[in-house]
Amino acid sequence: MVARLEKARIPMIQRSSGSRRTGRGSRETAAKYHESLPPEPDQQALAAFLRKRKHADPERFPDLSLTIVKLLGHGEYVALEPGDDPIGHFGLAVTDYTHATAPNRRYADVINQRLVKAVLAGTPLPYMAEELQGHAGWITDRERASNKVERFMRKAVAAVLLKDRIGIPSMRS
């Protein structure tokens, strides 16, 4: 999809995740394991470090993996105009990334599919670049709001499930 839209010089929405913000944190994390990563974020170097750690300590690897995932931070949607450098997905080490297949990402997928459909049909584009910027921001905002509600609901469910256990001594001796 990305290649087709780029070739047609059409703006699009891409999902970006963990671009350059992982550098310092991942270097500090690697140093705790007596490893070093390059000064500039490098997906391949990070992947090699993680593979090495997984092999060296598979039992504790999930904790390290979670640390790195948290360093990547939240993804966001961005509108790219023809000729813009793609931001890409740092964690996956790809630049041509429009991931929009999860149920909460269908809207971005629909927008990009409408753009491809217009290119293939030779019809006018359904969105202008400015509209895509607005849509990308709105989708990112809605995803963050959805995550906030999910976190709240997990806590609310846990509180309801545990309400009868308030004041009950621990079973540990």
Side-chain angles (χ1 to χ4, degrees), residues 68-95:
I68 297 298
V69 167
K70 287 181 177 182
L71 287 170
L72 290 173
H74 296 287
E76 65 182 350
Y77 291 93
V78 294
L80 291 181
E81 294 192 40
D84 284 354
D85 288 331
I87 297 169
H89 192 294
F90 183 86
L92 296 177
V94 294
T95 54

Side-chain angles (χ1 to χ4, degrees), residues 111-129:
I111 289 172
N112 284 330
Q113 288 177 8
R114 288 175 181 162
L115 290 166
V116 169
K117 182 179 176 182
V119 169
L120 294 174
T123 59
L125 296 180
Y127 307 99
M128 302 309 293

Side-chain angles (χ1 to χ4, degrees), residues 1-170:
M1 182 181 317
V2 173
R4 180 70 180 178
L5 293 174
E6 283 179 352
K7 184 177 179 183
R9 310 268 314 140
I10 302 299
M12 72 186 91
I13 291 180
Q14 284 195 334
R15 183 162 175 82
S16 169
S17 183
S19 54
R20 300 274 177 208
R21 60 183 165 232
T22 61
R24 181 176 178 187
S26 58
R27 282 193 311 276
E28 290 171 356
T29 300
K32 292 177 185 175
Y33 294 92
H34 309 289
E35 299 283 342
S36 63
L37 292 173
E40 286 296 314
D42 180 314
Q43 295 99 330
Q44 283 74 25
L46 180 59
F49 163 68
L50 290 171
R51 278 192 303 274
K52 185 175 181 181
R53 292 307 313 155
K54 185 176 183 178
H55 179 72
D57 192 355
E59 188 174 316
R60 290 191 192 96
F61 179 76
D63 294 331
L64 172 61
S65 178
L66 180 60
T67 297
I68 297 298
V69 167
K70 287 181 177 182
L71 287 170
L72 290 173
H74 296 287
E76 65 182 350
Y77 291 93
V78 294
L80 291 181
E81 294 192 40
D84 284 354
D85 288 331
I87 297 169
H89 192 294
F90 183 86
L92 296 177
V94 294
T95 54
D96 294 340
Y97 185 69
T98 60
H99 175 67
T101 56
N104 62 332
R105 298 183 177 134
R106 296 279 192 245
Y107 193 66
D109 199 32
V110 168
I111 289 172
N112 284 330
Q113 288 177 8
R114 288 175 181 162
L115 290 166
V116 169
K117 182 179 176 182
V119 169
L120 294 174
T123 59
L125 296 180
Y127 307 99
M128 302 309 293
E130 301 80 34
E131 290 176 284
L132 289 179
Q133 290 173 358
H135 288 307
W138 183 83
I139 296 168
T140 297
D141 180 63
R142 295 297 79 213
E143 181 176 340
R144 288 183 179 150
S146 172
N147 289 339
K148 187 176 180 180
V149 170
E150 286 176 15
R151 284 190 306 273
F152 172 79
M153 290 307 298
R154 271 191 240 105
K155 291 175 185 176
V157 167
V160 169
L161 291 173
L162 295 174
K163 74 177 181 163
D164 296 334
R165 302 208 37 99
I166 295 173
I168 297 176
S170 172

